[in-house]
Amino acid sequence: MTDTYVPASAIATSARAPIPIALCADDYAQNQAIDDGILHLLSERRLSAVSCFSNSPRWLQRSAPALREAAGDAAGAAAAAADIGLHFNLTEDFGAAAGAPYRLRGLILRSLFTRLDSKSLRQRLNAQLDAFEAGYGRPPAFIDGHQHVHQLPGVRQVLLQVLGARYGDVPVWVRNTVPASAAWRGKPLVLKLLGGAMTATALRGLGIPSNRGFAGVYGFDRADYAACFAEWLQAAAPGMLIMCHPAAAVGDGDEIAAQRPVEYHFLRSPEFLAMLEGAGVRLAPLSGMEMTD
C-alpha cells in the first residue's frame, strides 16, 4: 500500500487557526422579544458582543438585571465572554409620546450643515453612559450608535471628547462602518461615506481600538439571510465585525420586527455553525484581539 500524497498547501490550510471575528447583536433592551432572542443566543455562544439601549425604559429594571444574571450564571457564562457595550441613541423613542430628540434624516442633515448642539449631545451621551454603568455595573466594552449616529459629523467629535475625558486609559473600542470588502456598494458604501471612513481615521489617529472591516448591512428584507451571511464571511479577516438584529419573536413598534426572527433562527441553526467552520472563522470579543492595522 502506498501513502496518499497530500499537498503542502492543503496541510497548511487544515492547520491554520480559525479567523477571529466579532458578531454583535444590536438593540438590546428595545423590547422583550429582542432581549429574549439575544439572551438565548448568548447562552448558546452564538454572539460575541451585545449593544445596549441604556436609555430604554426597560434597561434598569428588566434588561440590565437579566444581562447581569446571564453573565454570572454558570450555565450561561458565554455572556461573560462577550463584549457588552452602549448603543448610543438619538433616534429611537421606544413608543414614548415625547418622542426621540431627532428623526434620522433630520439628524443627518443637521450634522452635515454643522447645526447640532454639542452641549446637548454631550449631556445625552453622558446620561446614557451613566445609565449603562448603573445598570451593568461597569463601563461599556465598546460604544456604537443606533442607526450609526455616533459616526456623524458633530456627533463623532463629541463622542471622542467624552470618551477621552471619561475613560482615559480604559480600553473602550468604538465601531466603524468601513465595509470589510471594497467591492461592496449600496448601503455599505453609503455608511462609509457618511462618516464611517472619517471615524476610522479619527480612531486610528487617537489610538482608540476599532474593528477591522464591517459587515451585516442589508435591507432587513431577506428571507435568505443565510446567503447574506455567507457573502459577509467571504471577507472575513481578524477583527472584522458583523452586526445582527435578532429577536425571538415579532415585537411591537419596530420597523424591522418581521426580519428579526429570521436572523434569530438562522443564528441558532446548525447551518450557521457549519458556515463558520467552513469559512475557517470563530466568534470572539473584539476586546480580546489586537485591533491594529
Side-chain angles (χ1 to χ4, degrees):
M1 180 180 293
T2 60
D3 293 335
T4 301
Y5 171 70
V6 179
S9 59
I11 297 173
T13 300
S14 64
R16 186 181 303 143
I19 298 169
I21 68 170
L23 178 60
C24 181
D26 288 0
D27 301 340
Y28 184 78
Q30 183 168 333
N31 61 45
Q32 187 66 53
I34 292 172
D35 286 8
D36 288 346
I38 289 175
L39 291 171
H40 290 164
L41 291 169
L42 275 177
S43 71
E44 295 174 354
R45 298 182 180 269
R46 307 297 175 98
L47 299 170
S48 62
V50 176
S51 192
C52 307
F53 279 125
S54 72
N55 69 332
S56 163
R58 298 175 48 84
W59 172 249
L60 288 175
Q61 299 302 320
R62 302 179 69 178
S63 300
L67 195 57
R68 292 198 313 269
E69 182 179 357
D73 185 347
D83 285 338
I84 309 299
L86 175 70
H87 204 43
F88 181 43
N89 176 37
L90 294 171
T91 58
E92 172 59 47
D93 62 9
F94 308 105
Y102 300 98
R103 297 290 184 184
L104 180 60
R105 182 171 180 174
L107 178 63
I108 292 172
L109 290 174
R110 282 175 171 269
S111 73
L112 294 176
F113 289 97
T114 63
R115 294 179 57 195
L116 291 174
D117 183 342
S118 296
K119 181 179 179 181
S120 174
L121 291 173
R122 190 173 294 106
Q123 290 173 341
R124 292 181 186 279
L125 177 55
N126 274 309
Q128 291 183 37
L129 288 167
D130 288 343
F132 182 95
E133 293 178 14
Y136 197 60
R138 67 188 72 172
F142 65 92
I143 300 175
D144 60 33
H146 181 54
Q147 299 181 314
H148 314 292
V149 299
H150 70 295
Q151 69 178 17
L152 295 174
V155 183
R156 176 177 65 247
Q157 288 82 351
V158 167
L159 169 61
L160 296 178
Q161 290 165 7
V162 169
L163 194 61
R166 183 164 182 136
Y167 295 118
D169 294 333
V170 177
V172 178
W173 59 269
V174 176
R175 176 185 295 183
N176 77 76
T177 63
V178 175
S181 170
W184 295 344
R185 295 293 183 263
K187 288 180 68 176
L189 181 58
V190 170
L191 288 178
K192 175 184 177 180
L193 298 176
L194 203 58
M198 292 295 294
T199 298
T201 299
L203 294 171
R204 217 165 22 242
L206 293 171
I208 297 172
S210 186
N211 51 291
R212 300 182 65 188
F214 184 63
V217 182
Y218 72 115
F220 299 109
D221 56 357
R222 297 280 297 270
D224 60 339
Y225 179 68
C228 295
F229 215 94
E231 179 182 355
W232 299 330
L233 288 179
Q234 290 177 10
M240 184 177 83
L241 171 63
I242 303 177
M243 70 171 178
C244 60
H245 298 79
V250 175
D252 295 330
D254 180 1
E255 293 180 356
I256 62 170
Q259 185 67 15
R260 291 183 189 272
V262 175
E263 295 193 16
Y264 171 71
H265 290 298
F266 168 70
L267 295 175
R268 293 194 72 195
S269 70
E271 181 185 4
F272 170 61
L273 295 182
M275 192 177 290
L276 294 180
E277 183 176 2
V281 163
R282 66 178 176 87
L283 301 183
L286 284 183
S287 59
M289 300 184 205
E290 287 290 333
M291 291 185 286
T292 58
D293 290 334

